[in-house]
Amino acid sequence: MDKSNNPFVLAQAQFDRGAELLGLSEDVRAILRWPQREFQFRIPVRMDDGRLQVFNGFRVQHNDARGPNKGGIRFHPNETLDTVRALATWMTWKCAVADIPLGGGKGGIIVNPASLSDGEKERLCRGWVNVMWRNIGPRQDVPAPDVGTTPQMMAWMMDEYSRLVGQYTPGVFTGKPVGGGGSLGRTEATGFGVIYVVREAMKHLDMDPKASVAAIQGFGNVAQYAAIGFKEMLGGKVTCVSCYDGGDKKTYTFSHPSGVDAHFLQSITDQYGTIDKAKAKAAGYVIEDGDAWITKEADVLIPSAIEGQVTGETAPQMHKRVRLVAEGANGPTSLEGDEIIRKRNIFLIPDFLCNAGGVTTSYFESVQNDMNFYWPRDEVLAKLDQKMTEAFHGVLQMSTERKVYMRDAAYLVAIDKVVKAMKLRGWV
Ligand code: NDP
């Protein structure tokens, strides 16, 4: 992989910056720059046509000083060990900043899941667990869904693990379907979590949520619930959302003069996340190029689609009204984009703080699995709100005290917590 777009090079560079600000010793840095354990393996799967196909799988456990490793499993044709290493490292910081007692992990298989039948998917999922089961578990490492994997796949994986250990063990995977050990509130958790921290940032910035306008990029899981939450929880207006249309391979921005109705848009969005343009147009929506979202007159920008969207090229197009950028997606801002946000003095809620609602609710799911007692949705969301609010104020306090940018403050809080746990356990 080209060094310049290798995510693990970026993850290590970000860590080095935080380590420098914290004045960490060389030995502590040597531990945290690299994952503790890495597994690379091959999974033979009997395909529907009788052939045996071998897939490459990974699991990286970055750091478990604060608790069992936690992080998704991706099924993606371009999966690489370095991508998995970077994502596992970021999970360590995300769990630490959200103050949930878990470490960082990530896994993957090099595969395009769309090319597999349901039976092949199930055999591949069970195959992954057959290799990894001795090194995962509710007290070791708890995987979850990610790009290309689904709640149904987690249910198969949990079943395979339970079969191998001879005991029903729902807490070994999170993101399971409700009724199959999943938690209520998980679907909306990440998007609502974004809104809880946006609400706190608005208080800090003395902004009136009811008079505020947000422009959102994306209309997947995170964006949909961020859009619903911005309107229903804060009373603000969402001026636009955007989506990728796999049919004509283009992105589009959908705006409405009186604000978008996310429930209506959900009802005209297909299973691939594409909004029906004809139906949207008939309902009065204006449809523009996918990049238009960043140019909208808005107080809050919520990039919630994919990485690398707020860049040296697009960030200068942000409207002068923008005061707050809340990173719903992972890594939506490039280094150049970040510099522009900083220079314009726009308040930033960095990704691993802003979108920590997903992993926090996954943690709640494993707690409920452990107790074999399930909470109502309102209780899950109230606990999530409390965790996100506390996490936000922890980072804000660090930013104010050390007079550093919010992204740096989030790294300082996260790395410091992990180092403290390592010291308490006598590792350093
Ligand atoms: P989804 O796949 O549900 O949604 C993302 C959507 O964005 C997809 O429909 C995708 O289309 C679309 N998209 C891709 N490129 C663009 C573009 N340039 N402009 C507009 N839309 C685009 O993913 P999530 O909502 O779950 O995740 C969004 C981001 O949030 C990711 O960065 C993810 O890592 C992060 N995140 C998600 C969490 C969760 O709990 N869901 C937790 C923490 C972080 P297509 O599928 O056709 O490519």
Side-chain angles (χ1 to χ4, degrees):
M1 188 183 285
D2 173 10
K3 217 173 162 205
S4 61
N5 58 22
N6 181 331
F8 190 52
V9 171
L10 176 65
Q12 287 189 318
Q14 290 170 339
F15 166 73
D16 289 344
R17 189 179 158 90
E20 201 58 41
L21 284 167
L22 277 170
L24 290 188
S25 65
E26 281 308 318
D27 47 356
V28 173
R29 290 185 202 206
I31 294 181
L32 287 169
R33 287 190 96 239
W34 288 91
Q36 282 176 315
R37 287 174 293 277
E38 300 182 345
F39 302 87
Q40 281 193 72
F41 43 92
R42 270 149 287 282
I43 310 163
V45 174
R46 183 70 62 195
M47 306 304 277
D48 290 348
D49 62 7
R51 275 180 313 119
L52 198 66
Q53 192 167 329
V54 181
F55 295 88
N56 288 302
F58 308 99
R59 184 72 185 171
V60 171
Q61 298 170 341
H62 175 257
N63 188 283
D64 61 5
R66 299 185 67 257
N69 301 94
K70 179 94 198 88
I73 301 177
R74 292 186 162 203
F75 282 11
H76 197 278
N78 304 327
E79 199 60 274
T80 66
L81 179 59
D82 272 350
T83 312
V84 181
R85 282 172 170 159
L87 292 162
T89 308
W90 286 323
M91 284 305 295
T92 300
W93 312 138
K94 193 181 290 196
C95 292
V97 90
D99 203 24
I100 52 178
L102 299 170
K106 208 77 175 190
I109 298 181
I110 303 176
V111 61
N112 174 10
S115 68
L116 303 179
S117 71
D118 279 352
E120 289 165 344
K121 276 182 206 156
E122 179 174 348
R123 293 193 288 282
L124 183 57
C125 287
R126 290 186 187 273
W128 192 94
V129 176
N130 263 287
V131 180
M132 276 304 299
W133 70 278
R134 285 191 179 79
N135 298 288
I136 58 170
R139 294 286 173 273
Q140 274 177 283
D141 182 3
V142 184
D146 205 286
V147 174
T149 49
T150 63
Q152 174 60 68
M153 292 179 181
M154 297 305 112
W156 289 326
M157 288 178 152
M158 179 276 278
D159 180 71
E160 188 66 17
Y161 181 87
S162 297
R163 207 181 57 75
L164 287 162
V165 299
Q167 208 170 58
Y168 176 57
T169 315
V172 60
F173 287 91
T174 61
K176 301 179 294 299
V178 171
S183 175
L184 292 169
R186 174 64 186 90
T187 307
E188 52 275 52
T190 309
F192 281 9
V194 168
I195 299 306
Y196 298 145
V197 290
V198 165
R199 179 194 65 207
E200 295 307 305
M202 283 181 155
K203 282 183 204 161
H204 169 67
L205 297 170
D206 208 12
M207 291 167 72
D208 176 6
K210 289 193 172 62
S212 294
V213 175
I216 298 182
Q217 186 191 31
F219 200 58
N221 172 263
V222 178
Q224 289 180 16
Y225 289 97
I228 290 171
F230 195 83
K231 187 173 167 193
E232 295 178 5
M233 293 195 267
L234 303 185
K237 174 173 147 180
V238 177
T239 190
C240 70
V241 296
S242 72
C243 80
Y244 176 74
D245 187 331
D248 51 17
K249 296 190 170 35
K250 278 186 178 161
T251 54
Y252 295 97
T253 300
F254 294 73
S255 52
H256 196 285
S258 47
V260 306
D261 174 350
H263 292 292
F264 167 72
L265 290 180
Q266 273 180 325
S267 75
I268 59 164
T269 298
D270 69 16
Q271 56 171 319
Y272 306 107
T274 305
I275 302 171
D276 187 318
K277 290 196 280 297
K279 286 184 182 153
K281 217 173 228 170
Y285 282 81
V286 178
I287 303 172
E288 295 161 271
D289 183 80
D291 294 335
W293 73 279
I294 204 167
T295 66
K296 296 285 169 196
E297 181 175 353
D299 307 278
V300 187
L301 295 185
I302 312 182
S304 306
I306 49 166
E307 62 284 347
Q309 298 301 299
V310 183
T311 63
E313 245 170 65
T314 61
Q317 298 171 42
M318 284 187 294
H319 197 277
K320 60 178 188 308
R321 182 168 162 179
V322 174
R323 292 185 64 193
L324 170 59
V325 173
E327 295 181 328
N330 281 320
T333 307
S334 72
L335 290 173
E336 296 79 19
D338 213 29
E339 210 39 52
I340 292 167
I341 295 176
R342 238 183 249 249
K343 283 203 178 120
R344 277 185 53 179
N345 225 2
I346 293 172
F347 190 85
L348 176 94
I349 311 177
D351 51 3
F352 68 89
L353 165 64
C354 194
N355 65 33
V359 73
T360 302
T361 310
S362 277
Y363 162 62
F364 293 158
E365 179 178 333
S366 53
V367 170
Q368 294 171 78
N369 291 154
D370 270 0
M371 296 187 297
N372 207 10
F373 178 77
Y374 290 81
W375 307 332
R377 176 177 177 273
D378 287 353
E379 191 175 335
V380 174
L381 293 176
K383 285 184 163 67
L384 175 64
D385 190 350
Q386 189 187 348
K387 273 288 187 200
M388 295 298 295
T389 301
E390 280 171 10
F392 174 84
H393 285 287
V395 174
L396 179 63
Q397 192 181 345
M398 177 67 85
S399 161
T400 314
E401 279 174 13
R402 297 277 310 251
K403 296 190 176 48
V404 291
Y405 187 49
M406 281 288 280
R407 195 185 307 282
D408 293 337
Y411 269 99
L412 292 183
V413 168
I415 296 171
D416 191 45
K417 278 193 184 146
V418 177
V419 172
K420 261 193 192 125
M422 293 204 304
K423 281 193 178 139
L424 288 169
R425 292 181 65 172
W427 293 5
V428 288

